[in-house]
């Protein structure tokens, strides 16, 4: 008795590319939620300014992180602790005095970013 082996071949159609909806062009009024074109232009310009400010703030925080690392390294290499809690309390008070209660939360986040990068 002879065994016959059949090899089945099957043609598989390539998967269809996912369809993405055509980009919708929003008017400035729709994009900003404004009710007038004048307000939409004002909002658009102000958002551009905010984006620029955010970029500067991020850059300053990155610079602060680097300076904090230098301070921590100097403190640790001299036998001190990585974090100086009295100094952190001064920073928290400074932000709270300048920005109110939300300033404290902002300062805590910033201090968290600056800790332990060595």
């Amino acid at each position: 008795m002879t065994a016959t082996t059949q090899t089945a071949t099957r043609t598989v159609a390539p998967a269809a590319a996912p369809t993405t909806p055509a980009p919708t062009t929003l008017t400035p009024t729709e994009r900003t939620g404004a009710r007038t074109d004048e307000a939409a232009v004002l909002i658009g310009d102000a958002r551009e300014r905010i984006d620029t400010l955010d970029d500067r703030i991020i850059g300053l925080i990155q610079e602060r992180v680097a300076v904090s690392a230098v301070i921590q390294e100097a403190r640790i290499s001299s036998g001190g602790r990585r974090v100086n809690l009295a100094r952190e309390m001064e920073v928290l008070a400074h932000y709270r005095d300048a920005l109110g209660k939300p300033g404290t939360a902002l300062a805590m986040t910033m201090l968290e970013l600056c800790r332990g990068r060595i």
Side-chain angles (χ1 to χ4, degrees):
M1 182 177 235
T2 317
T4 305
T5 307
Q6 283 186 322
T7 306
T9 59
R10 167 176 102 151
T11 305
V12 178
T19 58
T20 54
T24 307
T25 305
L26 298 176
T27 66
T29 304
E30 293 168 330
R31 195 171 33 257
T32 62
R35 300 211 178 216
T36 66
D37 289 339
E38 250 179 34
V41 169
L42 181 96
I43 291 168
D45 291 347
R47 284 182 176 172
E48 286 181 25
R49 178 80 173 121
I50 285 174
D51 291 344
T52 300
L53 290 168
D54 284 345
D55 289 342
R56 288 175 48 199
I57 291 166
I58 289 167
L60 289 169
I61 291 172
Q62 290 169 331
E63 184 178 347
R64 191 188 194 288
V65 168
V67 172
S68 292
V70 169
I71 292 169
Q72 290 173 40
E73 187 174 316
R75 191 180 302 118
I76 290 169
S77 66
S78 71
R81 299 177 62 156
R82 180 174 52 85
V83 175
N84 180 333
L85 295 178
R87 173 63 181 151
E88 287 197 357
M89 294 305 293
E90 290 174 10
V91 171
L92 290 170
H94 180 70
Y95 275 69
R96 183 190 61 242
D97 292 346
L99 303 172
K101 187 177 178 182
T104 303
L106 178 62
M108 286 297 296
T109 299
M110 194 243 341
L111 289 170
E112 183 180 342
L113 286 168
C114 293
R115 286 187 201 123
R117 297 290 179 147
I118 310 174

